[in-house]
Amino acid sequence: MTASPPLLAPEATARARAPLASAATLPPQAYRDPAIFAAERACLFASAWLPLARLDQIPEPGDYIAMDLMDQPVLVVHGMDGEIRVLSNVCLHRAAPLAEPGPGHRRLFSCPYHAWSYDTEGQLIRAPLMDGADHFDTRNCRLPQLRSEIWQGFILATLDETAAPFAPQVTGFTDYVAPYRLDDMAIARTLDFPGHWNWKVLVENFMEAYHHIATHSATLEPVFHARDSHIPDNDGQPWSILHMPAADVSGPHPEGTLPGLTDAQAHDLLATVLFPHFLLGIQGNGAVWYQLLPRAHDEVDLRIHVLLPRSTVPPEAWDETADAVAALVTVIHEEDIAANNLVWQGLTAPLTTQGRLSPLEKSIWQMNQWWLTRMGL
Ligand code: FES
Ligand SMILES: [Fe+2]
């Protein structure tokens, strides 16, 4: 029996593994090979803590959001008992999903197929016409519950029973962003953008400011110069922070800025990733959450959530502020879509090889080291 060849050539992984000053990108196959995507699902996504929703999306008992966590339909539920749970959204009878994707409010989840009904804790309450089924007791039937964690107002879950808890893995990150009070924020707008590229193209684009000089030359570069961006060491923890200092921090703090921030904190922009693809852009008066749903090696759905601080944006200014941020985010993201389209065009060309990274792209390098290790490469 012969061993199967490695997914990537050892010479290619060695070039990506080199110290930042001499490192290359991942090779094109890492993005365009469906076998790599299948391996990512098994090695990265199946064991990752992935952000599903915000607490502010399900504030009341009975509120829920139905969605897919890879192939597993789930219900993120605010139980009538006050607990937040992530439950399997698959009926215990003959496997019909209980609720269609999207938000809602229910006291009971009644299956559309044969009307088995579950409470918001996942307990089967009613199963009609089951008389005569031996040893069947609804009290012994409960929807499987995934491990979940609340961090900074986000509800994360994992399919991995043995995954280490999330928060202790990202302590350096949590400390860095603590002044921005992410747990005080709430989703004010959500924008959907399907993308026809590999998910890593989007993450890499999000995590470097080098492209401000061309892609965003008229929008971001005048405010956040590419050359000033810097990226702290992550001490081997699974995250990266791109810090983009504002060119001018002398003016008044922008509207809605949290109290107690320094002039730099009030004006600078952070782009951050918790590996593999939990993306947050953070400023002193709000944040954006880029929720990625990788569908295939060449397809990733993106949901951009605009978050505003509840303590500094008054209700009467909420909609106007949200619309203004959403409009700005759309302009920037449309510039990024054009860049991602270009990259995908080139990555799928047969003569394309690994490129050299700029030291300004340290986040990509940090992510690649984590990716290679987790992929066993
Ligand atoms: S599949 Fe749900 S009640 Fe039959
Ligand atoms: Fe960009």
Side-chain angles (χ1 to χ4, degrees):
M1 194 171 126
T2 50
S4 51
L7 285 166
L8 296 177
E11 309 76 44
T13 57
R15 282 191 284 272
R17 282 268 192 207
L20 174 60
S22 50
T25 61
L26 293 176
Q29 304 94 283
Y31 305 84
R32 67 189 187 198
D33 183 350
I36 296 267
F37 184 72
E40 287 178 330
R41 285 170 58 95
C43 300
L44 307 185
F45 305 154
S47 56
W49 286 95
L50 297 172
L52 302 184
R54 294 267 315 167
L55 284 178
D56 52 273
Q57 290 177 289
I58 50 170
E60 301 297 332
D63 289 348
Y64 75 91
I65 297 178
M67 61 192 305
D68 291 342
L69 177 54
M70 298 216 297
D71 294 331
Q72 173 64 52
V74 296
L75 297 166
V76 185
V77 195
H78 190 149
M80 298 310 293
D81 62 351
E83 290 292 313
I84 304 293
R85 293 182 182 81
V86 179
L87 302 170
S88 168
N89 179 25
V90 176
C91 183
L92 298 174
H93 175 223
R94 279 179 40 225
L98 299 166
E100 292 186 8
H105 179 92
R106 296 190 196 179
R107 283 175 165 271
L108 284 180
F109 292 92
S110 180
C111 180
Y113 201 175
H114 313 91
W116 285 25
S117 297
Y118 304 81
D119 69 14
T120 55
E121 297 167 40
Q123 177 65 50
L124 182 62
I125 298 297
R126 207 171 71 91
L129 306 180
M130 287 293 285
D131 307 335
D134 286 345
H135 311 299
F136 177 77
D137 186 341
T138 56
R139 288 171 299 185
N140 299 331
C141 301
R142 214 178 168 88
L143 297 172
Q145 182 173 341
L146 283 75
R147 291 177 62 205
S148 61
E149 220 176 285
I150 312 277
W151 174 85
Q152 302 283 317
F154 291 93
I155 304 161
L156 297 102
T158 178
L159 291 163
D160 184 354
E161 300 266 321
T162 64
F166 177 75
Q169 299 183 52
V170 298
T171 50
F173 184 100
T174 308
D175 291 346
Y176 203 99
V177 303
Y180 299 94
R181 309 243 345 252
L182 290 170
D183 56 352
D184 175 50
M185 296 191 188
I187 293 179
R189 289 289 179 275
T190 294
L191 310 162
D192 283 302
F193 293 97
H196 303 287
W197 337 278
N198 183 269
W199 65 277
K200 296 189 293 301
V201 170
L202 202 157
V203 173
E204 293 176 4
N205 171 266
F206 192 84
M207 287 308 300
E208 51 93 351
Y210 187 18
H211 73 287
H212 288 190
I213 56 173
T215 304
H216 305 301
S217 59
T219 49
L220 289 173
E221 176 61 19
V223 190
F224 305 105
H225 300 324
R227 63 174 180 272
D228 295 336
S229 65
H230 58 88
I231 293 152
D233 290 335
N234 62 6
D235 300 321
Q237 291 188 333
W239 49 262
S240 183
I241 294 172
L242 164 67
H243 194 132
M244 292 168 270
D248 179 5
V249 299
S250 63
H253 292 188
E255 197 87 25
T257 297
L258 292 160
L261 298 187
T262 64
D263 289 343
Q265 286 168 336
H267 290 91
D268 292 358
L269 173 62
L270 307 182
T272 71
V273 57
L274 296 138
F275 302 151
H277 56 58
F278 180 5
L279 301 179
L280 289 168
I282 304 171
Q283 284 190 289
N285 61 349
V288 285
W289 169 26
Y290 278 42
Q291 186 175 25
L292 270 67
L293 303 165
R295 303 281 185 203
H297 73 286
D298 58 355
E299 192 183 341
V300 55
D301 285 345
L302 171 66
R303 192 159 282 176
I304 301 180
H305 303 281
V306 173
L307 294 135
L308 298 177
R310 286 178 281 206
S311 59
T312 56
V313 179
E316 61 275 15
W318 191 262
D319 281 336
E320 196 183 331
T321 308
D323 286 340
V325 178
L328 184 60
V329 168
T330 300
V331 168
I332 302 295
H333 188 59
E334 281 172 354
E335 293 176 342
D336 283 322
I337 287 174
N340 292 341
N341 282 337
L342 289 175
V343 169
W344 192 241
Q345 211 181 326
L347 275 175
T348 49
L351 297 182
T352 302
T353 55
Q354 288 167 280
R356 280 294 297 273
L357 286 173
S358 158
L360 292 175
E361 295 168 306
K362 183 176 170 184
S363 288
I364 297 177
W365 179 85
Q366 287 174 330
M367 168 103 168
N368 288 351
Q369 308 315 301
W370 178 87
W371 187 92
L372 288 162
T373 300
R374 293 297 293 267
M375 293 286 282
L377 292 165

